[in-house]
Each structure stands twice: as structure tokens, then as C-alpha cells.
Amino acid sequence: MSKSQILAASTVGLLVIVLVVSNIPAQNATGPGAGQPLGGQPVYLLDINHVFKKHSRLKAMKADLQGDVQRAEQRVKKEKEAIKSLLERLGQFRPGTQEYKDLEQEIATRQADLNVLITLQRRGFLQQEARIYYIIYREIIEEVDYFAGQNRAALVLKFDRQAVDVDNAVHAGYRLNRTVIWNNRGLDITDYIVDRLNGRVKRDSAQRPSVP
């Protein structure tokens, strides 16, 4: 067997080993269930992407933002239809006449204003979305800081708790490059942080005065 064949066989063997290790079912890991993390450990793990997906306040804020986006799109659509009507009306006048020039100027002005409006709205919505994620990220950090302080943790690492999809080459390649290959389930504080964050939302909703 040639040197290149030996190297290829070794690479395939290593890939299979890593895939098998990464796909070990969670119940095979030692330690308690995912509901309650182990206490007093120096290092914990957090799947922050999962936290974002499950954060009820983030879902509500994104829904509100989406409503604003849809209303803005309706205003833009209405203005485009108005400009289209003006263009159709422009065809009723002979080019070079004062009526034609006045209407042509109005169309150009409204089209330019609309382009500026679309640009500003897009920028504004992107900024709003960034602020939303920043607010939620700060909430997450506050809860992680509280947990770390209570448990005297030295470090909380970001990790991905999803198993490798061996049928998806791109997905598998991405997962194989993750930092954490295996972890004790008791070190994963993701569900704990999600519960704490959503508990905040419930408490805030209960304390908010009702509108008569």
C-alpha cells in the first residue's frame, strides 16, 4: 500500500471515530439530566444560539419589528402605485408642454423621495434588530453571570449541543470543527438559562399594569 493510500485510510478512520463520538446519545453521558446543572464546577457550557431561539421576549420583540416592517412595506407599496398612476397620466400629455413638465417633475421628486425613504427604513430596521439582539444578549450575560457567581465558575464556554448530521456533508464538516467534542450533560447550563430568562418575561408581564 502506498503512502498516500495509508494517509487516506487513516483520515477516513479518524473521521468515523469523531462522528461516532459526537453522536453518542445524551443518556450515555454521565451526570444528571439537562434540567439541573452540576454545582461548583470550574467550567460550564452554553449553547447561546439555542437560547436565542427559545427566548420568549426575543420572539415577541422580533414579531413587533416584523409588524413594523410589514406596515412600512405597505406604505412603500401604496406610494409606488401612486407613482405608477402618475406615469400613466403623464402619457395623456404631449411632451414639452407645461403640464407634461410639471407632472414629470412631480414623478421624479416622488420617486427620489421614495428611494430615500426605502434606504432609511432599511437602515433603521437593521439598527432596531441589532439593538434587540444586544438587549437580549445583555440579559443572557446577566443570567450567566449570576449562575457563575452562585456556582463559583471560572469560565462559561459557547458550544453547540446539536448532534452531527452524518447525512449532510456540510453540516458534518461544520460540526467536526467545533471546540467541544464531548461534555458531561451536567455542565450544559443552556436549559437553565432559558428557564431563567423566560421566567423574567412572565414576571414582567404579571407586574405590568393592565390598561383599562
Side-chain angles (χ1 to χ4, degrees):
M1 182 179 292
S2 67
K3 184 177 180 180
S4 60
Q5 289 175 321
I6 293 174
L7 180 60
S10 300
T11 303
V12 172
L14 177 61
L15 177 61
V16 171
I17 290 172
V18 176
L19 284 173
V20 170
V21 171
S22 300
N23 271 310
I24 294 176
Q27 59 267 27
N28 288 346
T30 58
Q36 184 61 40
L38 289 170
Q41 302 301 308
V43 178
Y44 289 94
L45 303 172
L46 178 72
D47 187 342
I48 197 167
N49 291 327
H50 182 81
V51 176
F52 277 124
K53 290 178 183 178
K54 296 296 183 179
H55 197 316
S56 56
R57 193 194 309 278
L58 176 59
K59 292 179 182 179
M61 294 174 77
K62 287 177 67 177
D64 289 342
L65 178 60
Q66 184 60 33
D68 292 340
V69 170
Q70 290 175 350
R71 284 186 286 273
E73 288 175 345
Q74 287 299 317
R75 289 194 295 270
V76 169
K77 181 181 178 181
K78 184 177 180 180
E79 181 62 13
K80 285 183 176 181
E81 291 173 349
I83 293 174
K84 182 180 178 181
S85 298
L86 291 177
L87 285 169
E88 293 173 353
R89 182 181 163 197
L90 185 64
Q92 300 174 7
F93 299 101
R94 185 165 55 87
T97 62
Q98 190 59 44
E99 293 87 349
Y100 186 94
K101 292 179 180 179
D102 291 344
L103 187 54
E104 187 179 41
Q105 181 61 48
E106 180 182 354
I107 292 172
T109 300
R110 293 183 67 166
Q111 184 62 60
D113 290 344
L114 179 60
N115 291 338
V116 171
L117 176 63
I118 292 173
T119 299
L120 293 177
Q121 285 183 340
R122 183 180 296 114
R123 183 186 305 165
F125 288 134
L126 288 174
Q127 291 173 343
Q128 288 183 50
E129 185 178 39
R131 282 195 295 269
I132 287 173
Y133 274 95
Y134 177 74
I135 290 170
I136 299 302
Y137 179 76
R138 289 299 301 267
E139 286 189 6
I140 295 172
I141 294 303
E142 287 175 5
E143 290 298 340
V144 171
D145 182 67
Y146 173 81
F147 176 88
Q150 292 294 310
N151 291 273
R152 298 183 179 179
L155 192 65
V156 176
L157 295 174
K158 177 184 175 182
F159 88 123
D160 188 341
R161 67 191 338 201
Q162 292 184 0
V164 175
D165 182 0
V166 295
D167 296 324
N168 187 327
V170 176
H171 184 269
Y174 167 75
R175 301 297 178 194
L176 290 174
N177 288 325
R178 59 189 178 185
T179 303
V180 178
I181 301 300
W182 180 91
N183 64 277
N184 186 307
R185 291 178 66 196
L187 301 181
D188 180 1
I189 64 173
T190 304
D191 293 330
Y192 174 86
I193 296 299
V194 169
D195 290 343
R196 291 271 305 179
L197 289 166
N198 290 337
R200 277 190 181 193
V201 177
K202 292 180 181 178
R203 290 192 298 272
D204 291 345
S205 299
Q207 295 172 1
R208 187 178 300 119
S210 58
V211 179

